[in-house]
Amino acid sequence: MKNIMAAVVVGLMGTGVAWAADPVFGMWQTQPDKGVYYHVEMKACGAKICGVFRQKFDNGAKVASDVIGKNAMFDLVATGNGEYEGKAWKPSNGKTYNGSGKLSGNSLKIGGCVLGGLICSKQTWKRLN
C-alpha cells in the first residue's frame, strides 16, 4: 500500500512540474482600450489557469484601480496546439465572456462572446516576460 501511495505522490508531483511549464504562464500586457491597458499575470489556479490583474495603466502612466488582484481570465484549460478555452472578464464594461485564446510566440489572441454571440470582443495581448 505504501508503494502505491508513493507512486501516486510521485505522479502528482510530476504533473505539477509539467503544469508549471505551461507556455502561457507569465506577465502579459492587454491591448489598449481608449489608452487604458493592464498587466495580467497568467498562472495556475488549482487545476485550471487564471489571469490576475497586477497593474493598470492610463496613457502609459501607472494608476490605482479596484480591479488589481481580480481575475481577468479564469477557468482556462489548454485544449492543445497553444489554444485555451475559458472565461474572461472585461472591466471596461463589466461583462464576462465565454471564449478562447490562441498562443503564438509572444502574442496571446483572446476572443469571446456573450448573449449567444450577440456581443463579442477580441484583444491581442503581448508577453512582457
Side-chain angles (χ1 to χ4, degrees):
M1 185 63 149
K2 287 183 183 179
N3 288 342
I4 293 171
M5 289 304 289
V8 169
V9 170
V10 170
L12 290 174
M13 288 177 13
T15 301
V17 171
W19 181 251
D22 193 293
V24 80
F25 288 178
M27 195 67 70
W28 294 84
Q29 180 176 305
T30 66
Q31 183 175 318
D33 183 5
K34 297 178 183 170
V36 174
Y37 62 91
Y38 297 87
H39 287 176
V40 175
E41 179 187 11
M42 299 295 286
K43 63 183 193 157
C45 290
K48 297 190 179 177
I49 300 169
C50 66
V52 180
F53 289 109
R54 294 298 183 207
Q55 184 63 57
K56 179 179 180 180
F57 296 83
D58 190 351
N59 292 311
K62 288 183 181 181
V63 294
S65 175
D66 60 351
V67 303
I68 302 306
K70 294 182 180 179
N71 284 341
M73 308 286 297
F74 56 98
D75 291 342
L76 286 176
V77 293
T79 58
N81 298 321
E83 296 181 6
Y84 298 83
E85 291 182 359
K87 298 186 184 298
W89 178 64
K90 188 174 181 181
S92 64
N93 64 12
K95 294 193 183 317
T96 298
Y97 296 82
N98 291 317
S100 60
K102 174 71 175 164
L103 180 63
S104 179
N106 290 322
S107 292
L108 181 59
K109 293 184 180 190
I110 305 287
C113 300
V114 295
L115 301 174
L118 186 61
I119 300 172
C120 297
S121 184
K122 293 181 181 178
Q123 280 200 346
T124 301
W125 295 4
K126 68 179 183 178
R127 183 183 297 278
L128 296 174
N129 68 20

